[in-house]
Every structure is written in structure tokens, then in C-alpha cells.
Amino acid sequence: MAAEVDKHHCSDAAAPDSRPGRKWSMLRKSPVSYLVVNGDESEPATFKDHFLVGRDPHQLVEGVIIAAYALQVSQAFIYIRGEFALGLERVQQALNVPTRRAR
């Protein structure tokens, strides 16, 4: 999957050298691995994570699922600052939505 992502990656203006597929392919193979997603706003005057978590938590959850599958991780964790109670509530609701199985 990393090769496919690398093949279809569009360059990011902020970091043109960052190719996710290439980074993923360099991960060490391990029977137990983790994905940690940082949903914290630590930079002053940034609200992108806050906006995504608060307005479209399903997109965040979907991204975590895709990344976890691509990286073949054992567990995924989403960090949300304790002061962002609304964001935590919305992500929890998104995680609790029943899903239909593909047939």
C-alpha cells in the first residue's frame, strides 16, 4: 500500500519532500506497532485540528482507519486535549456509530 500511496501522492506546498508512502516503507516491521494521532493545537493561532475534530470527526476517524490499515498497526490512539471536551465528545460519537460490513 505504501508504494501505491507514493505513486499517487500530490506534492504538498508546505513540505514538497514529504512523501507518505516513502516514510511508511521505512517503518521497522514489528509484531506490535502503534499509530498515535495528535489532535492537539499546540501552535499559537492554529485551529485546523480543532476544526476537523469539532466539525468533521468522521473524517478524522476514517483517516486513522486508513493509516492504521496501510501501516498494519496493532492499535491506534487519538490524543485530544482535555480542555477540548466538545471535540472529545464528537470523536467518541463518531467512533460509536455502527458500521456496515462490506460484502
Side-chain angles (χ1 to χ4, degrees):
M1 182 163 222
E4 285 298 311
V5 169
D6 210 25
K7 184 169 78 172
H8 297 290
H9 174 70
C10 297
S11 292
D12 183 0
D17 297 345
S18 67
R19 300 181 65 86
R22 183 163 187 240
K23 290 180 181 180
W24 293 353
S25 67
M26 290 189 276
L27 292 174
R28 181 178 52 153
K29 302 296 181 220
S30 174
V32 178
S33 57
Y34 305 97
L35 172 66
V36 179
V37 178
N38 186 358
D40 183 30
E41 298 291 345
S42 57
E43 302 88 21
T46 58
F47 299 100
K48 64 178 176 27
D49 297 340
H50 188 90
F51 183 81
L52 180 64
V53 169
R55 296 272 177 102
D56 196 0
H58 294 279
Q59 185 178 0
L60 173 67
V61 171
E62 182 179 308
V64 170
I65 292 168
I66 292 168
Y69 175 79
L71 300 172
Q72 300 175 352
V73 300
S74 306
Q75 289 184 315
F77 298 90
I78 301 172
Y79 171 77
I80 298 174
R81 182 188 297 250
E83 294 87 5
F84 189 25
L86 178 62
L88 177 60
E89 181 182 325
R90 291 198 174 156
V91 170
Q92 190 63 54
Q93 288 172 350
L95 288 168
N96 290 336
V97 171
T99 57
R100 287 182 276 151
R101 292 180 181 227
R103 294 179 190 219

